[in-house]
């Protein structure tokens, strides 16, 4: 039963949480333009999970990105002063834009997981 969008955030038995950070999502596939959705990122040994803040579970922005589906990641700046963005492009061409503090740490974690992803 996947009626609840946050079901994708439930960790698989062999999945372990590596890091949790607050952040924003600026772009998801199928949505044109930029929007700022605050929430929390969880980086596991298999996926990047995002759960938007909000009271109504079904309306929250939630998504999961498997490291094995990522083709490239690169930094981007939200604006002149905010250098927290990470653009993730999937092998299917989809683009996500994340924004997190300590971007460099998070990017090296993603790179590390991409290397070991099968």
């Amino acid at each position: 039963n996947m009626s609840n969008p946050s079901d994708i955030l439930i960790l698989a038995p062999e999945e372990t949480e590596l890091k949790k950070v607050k952040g924003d999502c600026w772009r998801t596939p199928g949505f044109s333009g930029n929007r700022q959705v605050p929430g929390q990122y969880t980086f596991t040994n298999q996926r990047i999970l995002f759960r938007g803040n909000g009271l109504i579970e079904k309306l929250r922005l939630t998504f999961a990105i498997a490291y094995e589906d990522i083709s490239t990641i690169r930094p981007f700046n939200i604006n002149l002063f905010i250098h927290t963005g990470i653009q993730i492009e999937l092998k299917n061409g989809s683009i996500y834009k994340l924004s997190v503090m300590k971007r460099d740490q998070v990017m090296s974690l993603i790179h590390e997981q991409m290397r070991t992803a099968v």
Side-chain angles (χ1 to χ4, degrees):
N1 176 11
M2 293 296 282
S3 63
N4 195 339
S6 61
D7 288 351
I8 60 165
L9 305 181
I10 297 167
L11 301 195
E14 68 286 358
E15 195 172 7
T16 54
E17 186 182 300
L18 304 174
K19 188 180 186 67
K20 235 186 190 132
V21 294
K22 285 188 170 33
D24 296 324
C25 175
W26 286 84
R27 182 173 169 180
T28 52
F31 187 90
S32 58
N34 288 333
R35 57 177 174 164
Q36 184 178 11
V37 180
Q40 180 168 266
Y41 288 98
T42 303
F43 298 88
T44 76
N45 60 336
Q46 296 177 11
R47 304 178 295 164
I48 300 168
L49 310 175
F50 179 79
R51 182 171 193 245
N53 297 339
L55 295 173
I56 303 169
E57 196 66 46
K58 284 190 180 349
L59 299 182
R60 284 182 181 182
L61 173 64
T62 52
F63 59 81
I65 303 169
Y67 297 116
E68 62 193 11
D69 295 339
I70 298 174
S71 66
T72 57
I73 70 169
R74 63 181 185 81
F76 81 95
N77 297 334
I78 306 293
N79 63 32
L80 279 174
F81 309 104
I82 305 177
H83 302 205
T84 56
I86 302 172
Q87 178 171 310
I88 296 181
E89 187 167 345
L90 303 190
K91 291 169 182 166
N92 67 9
S94 297
I95 289 176
Y96 290 85
K97 287 186 174 183
L98 327 182
S99 171
V100 293
M101 293 310 219
K102 300 191 174 138
R103 170 174 73 185
D104 295 347
Q105 275 182 29
V106 170
M107 284 183 70
S108 29
L109 184 145
I110 296 172
H111 275 133
E112 187 57 40
Q113 297 309 313
M114 284 170 68
R115 269 201 295 279
T116 56
V118 190

